[in-house]
Amino acid sequence: MNILSPSLLSIDFNNIEKNAGILDEAGVKWYHLDVMDGAFVPNISFGPPVIKAIRKITKSFFDVHLMINEPKRYIEAFKDAGADLLTIHYEACGDVDETIKLIKEAGLKVGLAINPETDVWSLRPYINKADMILIMSVHPGFGGQKFIPSAIDKLKQVKKWADEENPDLLIEVDGGINFENVEDVLNAGANVIVAGSACFNGDIASNINRFFGILG
Ligand code: DX5
Ligand code: ZN
């Protein structure tokens, strides 16, 4: 039941087709696509045209993580590019409820993320409104950072709320996940695991298989 969502931020874009083929062959069903605007986060990554190009080479579910201010401006653009789920940041939306509503109306699944410094209680009103909650376990913007342990208690709290009122809620964790700490986040309630460097550093297929062995 747990999902692995490899973050393509760490893929070798010079060999994207070959590497996506390795993911798909290994049984990966989700791609985590990190969109950064250089304003909400200090880095710039890629946007709809690149996602549209990747859409042509895989049938995977596109889990699009929008690290951009006022994401409601781009819902249609990411839908047209082939996104299946849009995750927005609580901190980046003037009106979280409206943004969630617009994403649902566009026919996409919706995730809501919080940064490490944001109180988990900010998520309380959205447990029933979102398809997925994303707990950031690093400061968003870059791959390869160290896991921030306070994410564990946040995951436990979200899992408790989900058990009470939305058992289908997807609970994603993103940042610094590796083979040493992935069991800790699973035990805390995460059921969608994002991993960038741990998937793409070294042999991709064996990394993916190793994660699947732990995720069950
Ligand atoms: C960070 C991104 C992550 C990142 C994770 O802002 O949201 O998805 O790619 O990379 P690792 O797994 O290397 O921390
Ligand atoms: Zn991400």
Side-chain angles (χ1 to χ4, degrees), residues 7 32-34 65 67 134 136 174 194:
S7 166
H32 183 85
L33 298 159
D34 289 295
H65 180 190
M67 288 163 273
L134 165 55
M136 286 306 299
D174 180 9
V194 178

Side-chain angles (χ1 to χ4, degrees), residues 158-178:
V158 172
K159 170 71 173 146
K160 183 167 173 281
W161 289 331
D163 285 346
E164 285 163 11
E165 55 182 77
N166 187 2
D168 295 331
L169 185 69
L170 296 166
I171 305 175
E172 183 173 63
V173 63
D174 180 9
I177 304 297
N178 55 40

